[in-house]
Amino acid sequence: MAEIVLPHGNYQELESYQNSVIIFDATQSFCQNFLRKGDRTIDQMIQAARSGKQNIIEGSMASGISSGTEIKLVGVARASLEELLEDYRDYLRTHNLPLWEKDDPRALQIRQLARQKNRTYETYKSYFSADNPELFCNTMISLIHQTNYLLDRQIKSLEKSFTEKGGIRERMYQARKSYRAQQTEEVLSLLREVYRELAKQNNKELMQKIEKAANILKERG
């Protein structure tokens, strides 16, 4: 029988999730070091970072039941990180600090870190300097861009899977259909045995009734 609840909950293995943990931890550090206490931006940035991480988790856990819900939640994570990205850009702009170009050697160096396996906050720790907001912001901007790219790919993959496999309603329908077909085949097999025994006895009346019952079963699937 086809699976109804698909394998799910492996979010720890997703690169997008691993990045989101780094982004969340680093955002808390950034707010503590560079924003004044009481600044409303602190809550907004931390909430956006948290939303990015938590919605990846929730989407992964929901994926076994609803592919549509997973796609929606991953989209929410993507939108939250885009909001956070703009906060870091705003900080650079309002403090007259440069936003590095993609081909800036410093930006290229940061992007190279994405090649490392099992990356954590410690991987980027030297870039999260408490006395260099330009370096901190540009590192975060690069990391968020990479994560958003991963989420975009994740959404496309989920959409493709949904198109091919359908949602839980389709899987439940196929499971019920398969179950009914199996049950019907078992009944037909029994009727065939009885039919053969009656044929030996030349009981045509009962044979006709069995044929009628078998045809009804086949029509009903």
Side-chain angles (χ1 to χ4, degrees), residues 21-34 42 45-47 49-50 53 88 121 136 140:
V21 174
I22 300 171
I23 290 169
F24 177 71
D25 292 347
T27 296
Q28 292 198 82
S29 177
F30 177 85
C31 292
Q32 181 178 354
N33 290 315
F34 299 111
I42 294 176
M45 291 183 70
I46 291 177
Q47 181 56 38
R50 183 181 185 278
K53 178 172 68 71
Y88 283 108
Y121 182 90
F136 203 129
M140 291 300 293

Tab-separated table of all heavy atoms in Angstrom, residues 21-34 42 45-47 49-50 53 88 121 136 140:
chain	number	residue	atom	x	y	z
A	21	VAL	N	20.057	28.887	11.768
A	21	VAL	CA	20.494	28.879	13.168
A	21	VAL	C	21.630	29.884	13.357
A	21	VAL	O	21.651	30.656	14.332
A	21	VAL	CB	20.947	27.468	13.597
A	21	VAL	CG1	21.539	27.499	15.006
A	21	VAL	CG2	19.778	26.502	13.545
A	22	ILE	N	22.566	29.893	12.422
A	22	ILE	CA	23.679	30.847	12.480
A	22	ILE	C	23.144	32.275	12.401
A	22	ILE	O	23.567	33.163	13.157
A	22	ILE	CB	24.679	30.589	11.333
A	22	ILE	CG1	25.263	29.177	11.429
A	22	ILE	CG2	25.808	31.625	11.362
A	22	ILE	CD1	26.088	28.754	10.217
A	23	ILE	N	22.202	32.495	11.495
A	23	ILE	CA	21.629	33.831	11.311
A	23	ILE	C	20.918	34.295	12.575
A	23	ILE	O	21.053	35.451	12.987
A	23	ILE	CB	20.658	33.822	10.107
A	23	ILE	CG1	21.448	33.657	8.803
A	23	ILE	CG2	19.813	35.094	10.069
A	23	ILE	CD1	20.575	33.370	7.598
A	24	PHE	N	20.174	33.394	13.198
A	24	PHE	CA	19.456	33.753	14.426
A	24	PHE	C	20.424	34.122	15.546
A	24	PHE	O	20.269	35.153	16.216
A	24	PHE	CB	18.564	32.590	14.851
A	24	PHE	CG	17.836	32.828	16.153
A	24	PHE	CD1	16.796	33.741	16.227
A	24	PHE	CD2	18.207	32.151	17.305
A	24	PHE	CE1	16.121	33.972	17.431
A	24	PHE	CE2	17.545	32.370	18.507
A	24	PHE	CZ	16.500	33.287	18.565
A	25	ASP	N	21.422	33.276	15.765
A	25	ASP	CA	22.396	33.540	16.829
A	25	ASP	C	23.164	34.826	16.565
A	25	ASP	O	23.396	35.634	17.485
A	25	ASP	CB	23.374	32.366	16.947
A	25	ASP	CG	22.706	31.093	17.458
A	25	ASP	OD1	21.558	31.183	17.945
A	25	ASP	OD2	23.327	30.021	17.368
A	26	ALA	N	23.571	35.021	15.318
A	26	ALA	CA	24.352	36.209	14.975
A	26	ALA	C	23.519	37.483	15.088
A	26	ALA	O	24.031	38.543	15.487
A	26	ALA	CB	24.911	36.075	13.564
A	27	THR	N	22.245	37.401	14.748
A	27	THR	CA	21.378	38.575	14.833
A	27	THR	C	21.219	39.029	16.275
A	27	THR	O	21.216	40.228	16.568
A	27	THR	CB	20.002	38.271	14.203
A	27	THR	OG1	20.168	38.015	12.802
A	27	THR	CG2	19.046	39.441	14.374
A	28	GLN	N	21.101	38.080	17.171
A	28	GLN	CA	21.027	38.446	18.587
A	28	GLN	C	22.305	39.153	19.025
A	28	GLN	O	22.263	40.150	19.765
A	28	GLN	CB	20.785	37.197	19.439
A	28	GLN	CG	19.409	36.584	19.229
A	28	GLN	CD	19.014	35.659	20.355
A	28	GLN	OE1	18.535	36.085	21.402
A	28	GLN	NE2	19.245	34.385	20.143
A	29	SER	N	23.436	38.652	18.566
A	29	SER	CA	24.716	39.271	18.904
A	29	SER	C	24.817	40.668	18.300
A	29	SER	O	25.279	41.611	18.959
A	29	SER	CB	25.866	38.392	18.396
A	29	SER	OG	27.113	38.997	18.654
A	30	PHE	N	24.374	40.820	17.057
A	30	PHE	CA	24.428	42.114	16.384
A	30	PHE	C	23.585	43.143	17.139
A	30	PHE	O	24.039	44.272	17.389
A	30	PHE	CB	23.923	41.981	14.950
A	30	PHE	CG	23.870	43.295	14.213
A	30	PHE	CD1	24.990	43.795	13.584
A	30	PHE	CD2	22.683	44.026	14.166
A	30	PHE	CE1	24.943	45.017	12.908
A	30	PHE	CE2	22.629	45.239	13.502
A	30	PHE	CZ	23.761	45.739	12.873
A	31	CYS	N	22.372	42.762	17.482
A	31	CYS	CA	21.477	43.692	18.185
A	31	CYS	C	22.052	44.108	19.546
A	31	CYS	O	21.939	45.273	19.952
A	31	CYS	CB	20.105	43.045	18.374
A	31	CYS	SG	19.186	42.811	16.830
A	32	GLN	N	22.677	43.164	20.210
A	32	GLN	CA	23.262	43.460	21.521
A	32	GLN	C	24.443	44.422	21.404
A	32	GLN	O	24.629	45.301	22.256
A	32	GLN	CB	23.724	42.151	22.173
A	32	GLN	CG	24.322	42.346	23.561
A	32	GLN	CD	24.731	41.028	24.191
A	32	GLN	OE1	24.479	39.959	23.645
A	32	GLN	NE2	25.378	41.097	25.338
A	33	ASN	N	25.213	44.282	20.334
A	33	ASN	CA	26.440	45.067	20.200
A	33	ASN	C	26.256	46.414	19.491
A	33	ASN	O	26.997	47.360	19.777
A	33	ASN	CB	27.502	44.255	19.448
A	33	ASN	CG	28.043	43.101	20.259
A	33	ASN	OD1	28.349	43.253	21.443
A	33	ASN	ND2	28.156	41.932	19.641
A	34	PHE	N	25.281	46.498	18.580
A	34	PHE	CA	25.231	47.684	17.725
A	34	PHE	C	23.936	48.492	17.796
A	34	PHE	O	23.853	49.577	17.219
A	34	PHE	CB	25.488	47.278	16.265
A	34	PHE	CG	26.834	46.651	16.055
A	34	PHE	CD1	26.942	45.301	15.736
A	34	PHE	CD2	28.001	47.392	16.182
A	34	PHE	CE1	28.177	44.710	15.541
A	34	PHE	CE2	29.240	46.814	15.991
A	34	PHE	CZ	29.335	45.469	15.668
A	42	ILE	N	15.325	46.058	17.405
A	42	ILE	CA	15.876	44.846	18.016
A	42	ILE	C	14.854	43.712	17.972
A	42	ILE	O	15.139	42.610	17.488
A	42	ILE	CB	16.314	45.118	19.474
A	42	ILE	CG1	17.494	46.098	19.495
A	42	ILE	CG2	16.695	43.811	20.171
A	42	ILE	CD1	17.927	46.505	20.890
A	45	MET	N	14.126	42.591	14.309
A	45	MET	CA	15.180	41.792	13.676
A	45	MET	C	15.250	40.392	14.275
A	45	MET	O	15.367	39.403	13.541
A	45	MET	CB	16.531	42.506	13.805
A	45	MET	CG	16.644	43.773	12.991
A	45	MET	SD	18.282	44.549	13.089
A	45	MET	CE	19.288	43.362	12.176
A	46	ILE	N	15.176	40.309	15.591
A	46	ILE	CA	15.246	38.994	16.239
A	46	ILE	C	14.031	38.150	15.862
A	46	ILE	O	14.146	36.945	15.608
A	46	ILE	CB	15.358	39.145	17.769
A	46	ILE	CG1	16.728	39.744	18.123
A	46	ILE	CG2	15.158	37.803	18.467
A	46	ILE	CD1	16.935	40.005	19.592
A	47	GLN	N	12.862	38.781	15.793
A	47	GLN	CA	11.662	38.049	15.419
A	47	GLN	C	11.742	37.558	13.973
A	47	GLN	O	11.325	36.436	13.660
A	47	GLN	CB	10.420	38.921	15.605
A	47	GLN	CG	9.109	38.228	15.259
A	47	GLN	CD	8.889	36.943	16.036
A	47	GLN	OE1	9.221	36.855	17.213
A	47	GLN	NE2	8.349	35.932	15.377
A	49	ALA	N	14.514	36.879	12.322
A	49	ALA	CA	15.494	35.786	12.304
A	49	ALA	C	14.887	34.511	12.873
A	49	ALA	O	15.097	33.406	12.358
A	49	ALA	CB	16.733	36.187	13.095
A	50	ARG	N	14.132	34.657	13.955
A	50	ARG	CA	13.488	33.496	14.572
A	50	ARG	C	12.443	32.893	13.634
A	50	ARG	O	12.330	31.672	13.514
A	50	ARG	CB	12.826	33.890	15.896
A	50	ARG	CG	12.190	32.715	16.625
A	50	ARG	CD	11.512	33.126	17.921
A	50	ARG	NE	11.018	31.951	18.637
A	50	ARG	CZ	9.867	31.347	18.364
A	50	ARG	NH1	9.086	31.805	17.394
A	50	ARG	NH2	9.494	30.278	19.044
A	53	LYS	N	13.976	30.688	11.015
A	53	LYS	CA	14.386	29.382	11.531
A	53	LYS	C	13.179	28.507	11.872
A	53	LYS	O	13.103	27.346	11.463
A	53	LYS	CB	15.266	29.579	12.765
A	53	LYS	CG	15.720	28.292	13.436
A	53	LYS	CD	16.738	28.569	14.524
A	53	LYS	CE	16.150	29.297	15.715
A	53	LYS	NZ	15.250	28.404	16.506
A	88	TYR	N	19.612	44.791	7.675
A	88	TYR	CA	21.071	44.935	7.642
A	88	TYR	C	21.500	45.944	6.580
A	88	TYR	O	22.450	46.705	6.794
A	88	TYR	CB	21.731	43.574	7.399
A	88	TYR	CG	21.764	42.707	8.631
A	88	TYR	CD1	20.937	41.587	8.747
A	88	TYR	CD2	22.604	43.012	9.697
A	88	TYR	CE1	20.955	40.794	9.887
A	88	TYR	CE2	22.627	42.224	10.846
A	88	TYR	CZ	21.797	41.126	10.932
A	88	TYR	OH	21.819	40.354	12.070
A	121	TYR	N	27.950	28.759	14.062
A	121	TYR	CA	28.273	30.153	14.398
A	121	TYR	C	29.783	30.343	14.490
A	121	TYR	O	30.316	31.380	14.072
A	121	TYR	CB	27.610	30.515	15.718
A	121	TYR	CG	27.819	31.946	16.157
A	121	TYR	CD1	26.932	32.951	15.787
A	121	TYR	CD2	28.902	32.284	16.970
A	121	TYR	CE1	27.117	34.265	16.203
A	121	TYR	CE2	29.100	33.590	17.383
A	121	TYR	CZ	28.205	34.579	16.994
A	121	TYR	OH	28.400	35.869	17.409
A	136	PHE	N	30.405	42.911	10.044
A	136	PHE	CA	29.300	42.108	10.577
A	136	PHE	C	28.107	42.138	9.616
A	136	PHE	O	27.558	41.093	9.242
A	136	PHE	CB	28.896	42.651	11.949
A	136	PHE	CG	28.203	41.655	12.827
A	136	PHE	CD1	28.649	41.438	14.132
A	136	PHE	CD2	27.118	40.921	12.382
A	136	PHE	CE1	28.014	40.519	14.962
A	136	PHE	CE2	26.474	40.002	13.204
A	136	PHE	CZ	26.923	39.808	14.494
A	140	MET	N	26.526	39.089	7.278
A	140	MET	CA	25.142	38.648	7.415
A	140	MET	C	24.388	38.749	6.096
A	140	MET	O	23.598	37.859	5.749
A	140	MET	CB	24.432	39.480	8.487
A	140	MET	CG	24.931	39.201	9.896
A	140	MET	SD	24.697	37.477	10.392
A	140	MET	CE	22.907	37.401	10.470
